[in-house]
């Protein structure tokens, strides 16, 4: 029944909208729904003063929160949407399709897993480059204005960095020409992952507690708290790239130190201050209070 409903819904879409409309406007709408739908709850939790499971005790000012939302709306409309439009010819050239029949779930799962691995590799090296002195000062420092991240800050960045992030995300689909269904699922899962990594909360049910090599909020929150030359933890989704190249050593040393000082607390701690004492001491762009 579910498969039949999905096929009928898909037939309606491809009969009433052009493939270009579905790839550009359709992908944009899905991105916005997933991004704000998953990111706004974390912002509301911070505004409401929900501290349990929060990694850092510090919170962002109302002005900083509003600035993030307004700039995101502008960047999404003026950068993300056009980017989705110009990549369509590349997708099409590589065999992209939106027609029925829909791909099998085995194909969809294999492609999405491959995209995660490929994106993580590209993102790791690009992110390390963004932490070189010149690129950090002129580009990446915008993203690090938020030393205490919340979900929506995941896409708060310089337009040049947005283009880079977009490249890392679409590279896999661009070279494989997937079905539109696969593309939409990939966009949704990638957005959910990056929002969760920036959410600022480490819940008992966080994926990082159950999935080996998955980074998550605690792993990436450390990256935002420290000065650009010392941060480490550069990968987007997984932790193995940082482990292989030794860029996660500071995180694990600090985590071990916290556990030695107080066995009941850690960087994956539950109540703010015990989880983090450094806050934004070394971050130039801290907007927390």
């Amino acid at each position: 029944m579910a498969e039949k409903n999905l096929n009928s819904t898909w037939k309606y879409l491809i009969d009433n909208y052009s493939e270009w409309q579905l790839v550009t406007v359709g992908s944009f709408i899905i991105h916005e729904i997933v991004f704000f739908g998953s990111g706004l709850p974390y912002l509301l939790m911070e505004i409401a003063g929900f501290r349990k499971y929060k990694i850092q005790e510090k919170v962002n000012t109302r002005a900083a929160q509003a600035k993030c939302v307004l700039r995101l709306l502008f960047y999404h409309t003026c950068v993300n949407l056009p980017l989705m439009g110009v990549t369509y010819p590349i997708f099409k050239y590589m065999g992209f399709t939106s027609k029925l029949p829909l791909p099998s779930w085995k194909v969809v799962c294999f492609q999405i897993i491959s995209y995660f691995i490929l994106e993580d590799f590209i993102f790791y090296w690009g992110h390390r480059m963004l932490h070189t002195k010149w690129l950090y000062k002129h580009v990446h420092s915008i993203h690090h204005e938020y030393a205490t991240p919340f979900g929506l800050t995941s896409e708060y960045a310089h337009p040049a960095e947005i283009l880079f992030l977009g490249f890392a995300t679409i590279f896999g689909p661009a070279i494989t020409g997937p079905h539109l269904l696969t593309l939409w699922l990939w966009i949704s899962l990638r957005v959910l992952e990056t929002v969760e990594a920036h959410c600022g909360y480490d819940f008992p049910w966080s994926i990082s507690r159950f999935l080996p090599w998955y980074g998550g909020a605690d792993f990436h929150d450390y990256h935002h708290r420290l000065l650009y030359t010392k941060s480490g933890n550069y990968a987007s989704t997984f932790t193995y790239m940082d482990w292989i190249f030794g860029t996660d050593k500071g995180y694990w040393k600090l985590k071990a130190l916290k556990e030695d000082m107080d066995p009941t607390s850690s960087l994956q701690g539950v109540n703010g201050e015990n989880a983090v004492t450094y806050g934004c001491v070394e971050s130039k762009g801290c907007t927390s209070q």
Side-chain angles (χ1 to χ4, degrees):
M1 178 64 73
E3 185 176 350
K4 183 178 179 180
N5 290 336
L6 178 59
N7 278 283
S8 61
T9 301
W10 201 264
K11 188 176 187 308
Y12 173 82
L13 289 173
I14 61 177
D15 286 346
N16 290 274
Y17 301 97
S18 70
E19 194 169 71
W20 184 86
Q21 288 175 318
L22 293 173
V23 172
T24 55
V25 180
S27 298
F28 179 76
I29 291 173
I30 286 176
H31 174 275
E32 297 305 285
I33 291 173
V34 176
F35 179 74
F36 285 103
S38 61
L40 281 174
Y42 296 118
L43 174 59
L44 296 176
M45 288 166 61
E46 185 176 81
I47 292 174
F50 183 77
R51 295 291 179 268
K52 191 174 185 181
Y53 307 124
K54 196 171 189 309
I55 299 170
Q56 296 190 48
E57 185 69 21
K58 298 176 182 296
V59 297
N60 293 284
T61 64
R62 295 291 185 271
Q65 293 164 346
K67 175 186 175 183
C68 176
V69 174
L70 292 174
R71 285 205 180 182
L72 282 172
L73 291 172
F74 175 76
Y75 288 152
H76 284 185
T77 304
C78 298
V79 180
N80 292 22
L81 181 57
L83 181 63
M84 292 174 182
V86 299
T87 54
Y88 171 67
I90 301 174
F91 288 161
K92 197 63 181 175
Y93 178 79
M94 297 303 295
F96 174 89
T97 183
S98 61
K99 298 178 180 178
L100 290 169
L102 297 174
S104 69
W105 289 110
K106 287 183 180 179
V107 171
V108 171
C109 291
F110 175 78
Q111 288 183 328
I112 289 179
I113 291 172
S114 300
Y115 296 161
F116 266 114
I117 295 172
L118 186 58
E119 189 278 339
D120 199 61
F121 179 85
I122 296 172
F123 186 96
Y124 175 85
W125 290 109
H127 195 185
R128 284 193 69 169
M129 287 181 61
L130 287 171
H131 277 263
T132 56
K133 188 174 182 180
W134 190 91
L135 285 174
Y136 184 88
K137 178 180 179 180
H138 297 283
V139 178
H140 195 48
S141 60
I142 302 296
H143 181 65
H144 277 269
E145 287 180 11
Y146 292 87
T148 307
F150 55 93
L152 297 181
T153 61
S154 57
E155 295 190 2
Y156 179 89
H158 189 284
E161 183 173 348
I162 294 174
L163 292 175
F164 158 68
L165 294 173
F167 170 78
T169 300
I170 68 171
F171 183 77
I175 64 174
T176 58
H179 194 277
L180 179 60
L181 175 65
T182 307
L183 178 66
W184 282 355
L185 287 173
W186 161 239
I187 290 173
S188 300
L189 291 173
R190 178 67 181 98
V191 168
L192 289 172
E193 181 278 322
T194 191
V195 167
E196 192 271 340
H198 289 82
C199 74
Y201 289 88
D202 186 38
F203 302 105
W205 54 86
S206 293
I207 300 175
S208 57
R209 295 181 179 272
F210 306 100
L211 185 63
W213 300 106
Y214 184 85
D218 187 71
F219 190 79
H220 192 70
D221 197 277
Y222 170 86
H223 174 83
H224 273 263
R225 294 197 302 273
L226 299 186
L227 191 66
Y228 76 94
T229 54
K230 303 177 182 178
S231 56
N233 293 15
Y234 297 115
S236 60
T237 304
F238 306 109
T239 61
Y240 64 88
M241 289 290 290
D242 284 288
W243 175 73
I244 291 172
F245 295 101
T247 47
D248 63 347
K249 291 181 179 179
Y251 169 77
W252 292 111
K253 286 180 180 179
L254 182 58
K255 186 176 174 64
L257 178 63
K258 288 288 182 180
E259 290 175 344
D260 288 341
M261 293 173 60
D262 182 358
T264 65
S265 69
S266 70
L267 284 180
Q268 299 204 355
V270 172
N271 290 315
E273 195 112 52
N274 285 335
V276 174
T277 56
Y278 292 164
C280 53
V281 171
E282 292 187 291
S283 177
K284 295 181 180 179
C286 181
T287 55
S288 303
Q289 63 177 1

